[in-house]
Amino acid sequence: MAMLECFNDCVMQEDLEEVANDQTLLNLLKQKTIFVTGATGLIGSQVVKALCIMNRLHQAGIKVIALCRSEEKARSVFGPLLEWGDLSLCLGDVSQPIQVNANIDYILHGASPTSSKFFVTHPVETIRTAIDGTANVLELARAKQVQGFLYLSSLEVYGTVEPDAGFISEDHYGYLDPLSVRSSYSEGKRMVECLCVSYGQQYGVPVKIARLSQTFGAGVDYHDGRVFAEFARCAMEGKDIVLHTKGRTVRTYCYTKDAVSALLYLLTKGETGNAYNVTNMDTAISIWEMAELVRDTFPEANIQVTCDMPEDISAFGYNPEMIIKLSSEKLQSLGWKATVGLEEMYRRMIRSMAQSQTKN
């Protein structure tokens, strides 16, 4: 298959063509203009590419405006898409007021730091990006009188919940320590959710909130520092997986394609003022068990799982040990469903990472 929108990744191309062929989404998004922040990130870039694929496969007439800080990075991510007329760049930063001349129907706001180490080394910037940046995007939504505004939040808003809580619905919250700098991300997300619904109540902005579980799959950068990418690299390079915790934290996860589909469902079909968990409920697993799953799924790598606990673990920016399994039943009620399980998530991510390394 010739590489088109995902010119260096046939796994991602297959994934996003599947999203683009969703007739429900196609009918809702035809002839719309969609503004995306965080557009060069893992999820934002795949949303942009899925919309461009809709245009190519179905002549959908969708216009995409991508807010990007770096034109150079945008061109490396989107390549020839920028010459096709579907996608235009808005160069700037969410920390500054945003000026767009075109009409906008929908806004998907995903600009945010994502590195745990960044949260603890730059907590002020983490908070300011969340609050000030989102205020600027909400002001744009208010000025353009958009049909829908989706904020990409996180499972971290739930804090530390009771270990026996079972699957967590959208109205179940745990403890966050406001005096921990690691809470700069979690507390920032909580405050921004309140800011979003406040704009909804006071100014009529049709806000919806997506609380994403940790999301990975095709498109993850080979050098990504998060634990799922480290495990994948170990399998690819034949290196043992070395954990710096006991690996007892349990989470649910979501595949990239499923997350992209979920966000478009929420943007167009989500109920204003509501939050929705985005996760695959069948993926609940501890970090240690996930390491073992990678070891067993790729026996040819001949790797082992070991533990090396550092004296000072705080510098890593890890969350407290917890069990947090999200329920996606509310999202599923809109017609969405997760399609890719953990083993296949790893297989497709590793194929994608290998292709990116070959191209480089």
Side-chain angles (χ1 to χ4, degrees):
M1 179 179 63
M3 289 298 93
L4 298 164
E5 293 77 10
C6 310
F7 47 93
N8 62 349
D9 191 333
C10 69
V11 183
M12 192 198 304
Q13 186 76 34
E14 292 168 3
D15 286 346
L16 299 185
E17 287 189 3
E18 188 173 329
V19 175
N21 284 322
D22 186 312
Q23 195 63 47
T24 298
L25 292 176
L26 181 62
N27 291 338
L28 291 167
L29 291 167
K30 274 187 175 180
Q31 307 300 322
K32 302 298 184 183
T33 298
I34 301 158
F35 185 85
V36 181
T37 78
T40 58
L42 174 65
I43 302 301
S45 64
Q46 295 196 35
V47 168
V48 170
K49 290 176 181 180
L51 295 170
C52 291
I53 293 172
M54 281 188 183
N55 281 346
R56 177 174 56 82
L57 295 181
H58 303 289
Q59 295 76 52
I62 299 167
K63 297 294 184 185
V64 184
I65 305 172
L67 181 69
C68 303
R69 287 184 294 175
S70 165
E71 182 175 1
E72 182 181 0
K73 183 175 182 181
R75 291 195 175 279
S76 72
V77 171
F78 299 120
L81 274 66
L82 294 168
E83 315 303 326
W84 294 2
D86 305 334
L87 171 63
S88 60
L89 299 182
C90 175
L91 296 177
D93 194 301
V94 291
S95 63
Q96 302 297 322
I98 302 165
Q99 301 295 327
V100 178
N101 293 327
N103 292 327
I104 298 172
D105 298 300
Y106 291 106
I107 293 178
L108 189 149
H109 176 36
S112 173
T114 57
S115 165
S116 292
K117 288 183 180 180
F118 186 90
F119 306 156
V120 295
T121 57
H122 297 80
V124 174
E125 289 88 341
T126 299
I127 293 169
R128 295 295 295 267
T129 298
I131 297 175
D132 298 343
T134 304
N136 287 328
V137 184
L138 284 164
E139 282 295 330
L140 178 66
R142 179 185 173 195
K144 297 296 183 179
Q145 297 184 308
V146 298
Q147 297 177 35
F149 177 101
L150 182 64
Y151 173 61
L152 273 58
S153 187
S154 165
L155 66 84
E156 293 207 22
V157 299
Y158 292 110
T160 303
V161 299
E162 315 86 65
D164 59 352
F167 281 95
I168 303 300
S169 61
E170 287 79 1
D171 57 358
H172 189 132
Y173 300 97
Y175 171 75
L176 276 176
D177 178 5
L179 300 186
S180 165
V181 294
R182 178 58 178 76
S183 297
S184 57
Y185 180 75
S186 310
E187 291 280 21
K189 290 289 188 183
R190 279 190 174 183
M191 188 65 242
V192 169
E193 287 195 11
C194 188
L195 182 64
C196 285
V197 296
S198 298
Y199 263 79
Q201 192 277 330
Q202 190 167 342
Y203 302 122
V205 178
V207 299
K208 304 96 177 278
I209 295 162
R211 292 177 179 159
L212 289 125
S213 61
Q214 202 162 60
T215 300
F216 65 89
V220 169
D221 184 80
Y222 187 83
H223 302 288
D224 192 299
R226 286 170 287 187
V227 67
F228 52 78
E230 291 181 13
F231 290 179
R233 281 194 300 277
C234 287
M236 295 172 74
E237 297 173 6
K239 296 180 179 178
D240 288 349
I241 295 174
V242 181
L243 299 182
H244 301 298
T245 71
K246 296 293 185 182
R248 291 190 289 244
T249 287
V250 175
R251 295 191 188 99
T252 51
Y253 297 84
C254 194
Y255 184 60
T256 41
K257 177 200 70 175
D258 289 336
V260 169
S261 171
L263 297 182
L264 293 175
Y265 266 82
L266 292 179
L267 189 63
T268 54
K269 297 186 70 178
E271 188 174 340
T272 295
N274 275 240
Y276 296 81
N277 293 332
V278 179
T279 199
N280 182 336
M281 294 174 67
D282 294 332
T283 62
I285 195 171
S286 73
I287 299 297
W288 185 273
E289 289 169 334
M290 179 181 280
E292 292 183 322
L293 178 143
V294 172
R295 177 198 65 194
D296 296 342
T297 302
F298 303 97
E300 66 278 8
N302 194 29
I303 60 176
Q304 301 300 318
V305 180
T306 63
C307 183
D308 179 20
M309 293 283 288
E311 289 187 14
D312 180 16
I313 200 170
S314 62
F316 286 85
Y318 295 145
N319 259 333
E321 185 178 289
M322 70 180 76
I323 297 173
I324 181 160
K325 301 182 291 186
L326 299 187
S327 168
S328 59
E329 290 181 357
K330 186 175 178 182
L331 172 59
Q332 291 177 55
S333 71
L334 301 179
W336 173 90
K337 65 179 180 179
T339 62
V340 181
L342 269 175
E343 282 192 24
E344 187 65 11
M345 287 165 69
Y346 265 101
R347 291 186 189 279
R348 295 186 73 78
M349 177 171 65
I350 286 175
R351 280 179 55 203
S352 170
M353 290 170 78
Q355 287 177 11
S356 69
Q357 284 299 98
T358 302
K359 295 292 179 180
N360 295 336

